[in-house]
Amino acid sequence: MEKLNLTLTQKVAIKWLKNVDSSLFIFKFLKDLEFGFRALFYAGIIAFTVFALIFASSFINFADAPLAPFWDTLGDIIFYGTIAGMTLILTLESVLKLDVAQILTDLKEQKRRKKEQKLQRWRLRNMNIWMRIFVYICIYTFLLYIIQLSAQGAFIDLFSTVPNTPETQKQIAIFVSEYDKFVKWYTFIYIVSGLTLDYFVSKKRTKAAKMEAQNENA
């Protein structure tokens, strides 16, 4: 199957259609409109999205929830991420003259073949070493962030209302010491697990490369 030669903007538009308008209802509707009406539609749907998110967020309050900072951060990511995602509707202008239905069919077929041959980009064995390191660091950082939020919540729950006495300071010192030990053990176990995992990933990459070379020489 030939590789689709699309610009970056067109790739973003196709991705948007796959995830938001897979039935191509909005695309077909916009395709028949003049540019002025399309511009009004873009502005209207983006404004409606912002208004709907602000309205919905007015009913949500994480102040009293466990791990409130985490949920606030997650809420902000969803809020601004949704707005940013909806603004990508503007990229549809770059594909209005293309046979989008056929492109989506071709992409679906490519996805099926990649799945059969296990060539998906998200698989560790299909990433280069630097991308795998980046993934390992991201997972480590995310888990450490959860651990820190949990420790902060436990610290506040245990010591926020107790009097500031020598015994309290002793217990705080013990808490901090145990937390540091936990983080060190977590880091050690994570590094060992990551190295072990990457060893097997590298073996699979080598095996796959040899099989591909044999198929090319056959």
Side-chain angles (χ1 to χ4, degrees):
M1 185 178 294
E2 295 182 359
K3 185 177 181 180
L4 299 173
N5 294 318
L6 302 175
T7 65
L8 177 60
T9 303
Q10 290 172 336
K11 289 179 180 179
V12 172
I14 295 299
K15 193 74 173 179
W16 192 92
L17 288 169
K18 284 176 59 181
N19 291 283
V20 181
D21 185 31
S22 58
S23 65
L24 301 183
F25 175 79
I26 296 176
F27 176 78
K28 292 175 181 177
F29 170 74
L30 291 173
K31 198 170 184 179
D32 297 329
L33 295 178
E34 294 182 0
F35 176 76
F37 290 106
R38 292 201 303 271
L40 288 175
F41 179 84
Y42 296 145
I45 196 169
I46 293 172
F48 174 79
T49 300
V50 174
F51 173 78
L53 289 171
I54 293 175
F55 180 77
S57 63
S58 65
F59 295 96
I60 302 174
N61 185 5
F62 296 118
D64 299 326
L67 303 178
F70 170 76
W71 294 114
D72 285 334
T73 301
L74 183 61
D76 288 340
I77 291 174
I78 294 174
F79 182 87
Y80 293 108
T82 302
I83 294 175
M86 188 53 68
T87 59
L88 295 178
I89 192 175
L90 299 173
T91 62
L92 295 187
E93 286 294 310
S94 65
V95 297
L96 289 177
K97 296 181 180 180
L98 301 181
D99 188 353
V100 172
Q102 184 59 48
I103 291 174
L104 291 177
T105 300
D106 292 344
L107 290 175
K108 187 175 181 180
E109 177 63 17
Q110 287 182 3
K111 183 178 180 180
R112 184 188 66 80
R113 292 190 178 186
K114 287 181 178 180
K115 185 176 181 180
E116 288 180 352
Q117 300 174 14
K118 296 182 178 180
L119 298 176
Q120 299 96 325
R121 291 184 178 181
W122 56 264
R123 291 180 179 272
L124 287 174
R125 71 177 191 177
N126 296 326
M127 300 179 186
N128 60 45
I129 181 62
W130 299 112
M131 181 56 68
R132 296 203 302 275
I133 290 174
F134 176 75
V135 171
Y136 297 147
I137 292 175
C138 287
I139 295 175
Y140 170 83
T141 304
F142 176 75
L143 293 177
L144 183 61
Y145 178 66
I146 299 298
I147 292 171
Q148 289 176 340
L149 286 179
S150 300
Q152 288 175 3
F155 183 88
I156 293 173
D157 185 59
L158 291 171
F159 301 110
S160 61
T161 58
V162 297
N164 187 12
T165 63
E167 180 62 25
T168 300
Q169 293 300 320
K170 181 180 178 181
Q171 293 300 320
I172 290 176
I174 294 174
F175 182 93
V176 173
S177 177
E178 291 299 319
Y179 170 76
D180 290 340
K181 289 180 182 178
F182 181 86
V183 170
K184 289 177 182 178
W185 274 106
Y186 159 71
T187 302
F188 173 75
I189 294 172
Y190 186 89
I191 291 174
V192 172
S193 301
L195 291 174
T196 303
L197 175 63
D198 201 69
Y199 169 75
F200 289 104
V201 169
S202 298
K203 286 187 66 175
K204 286 186 177 182
R205 282 176 60 88
T206 303
K207 183 178 179 180
K210 288 181 178 179
M211 292 180 61
E212 185 177 350
Q214 290 175 356
N215 293 332
E216 290 179 354
N217 294 329

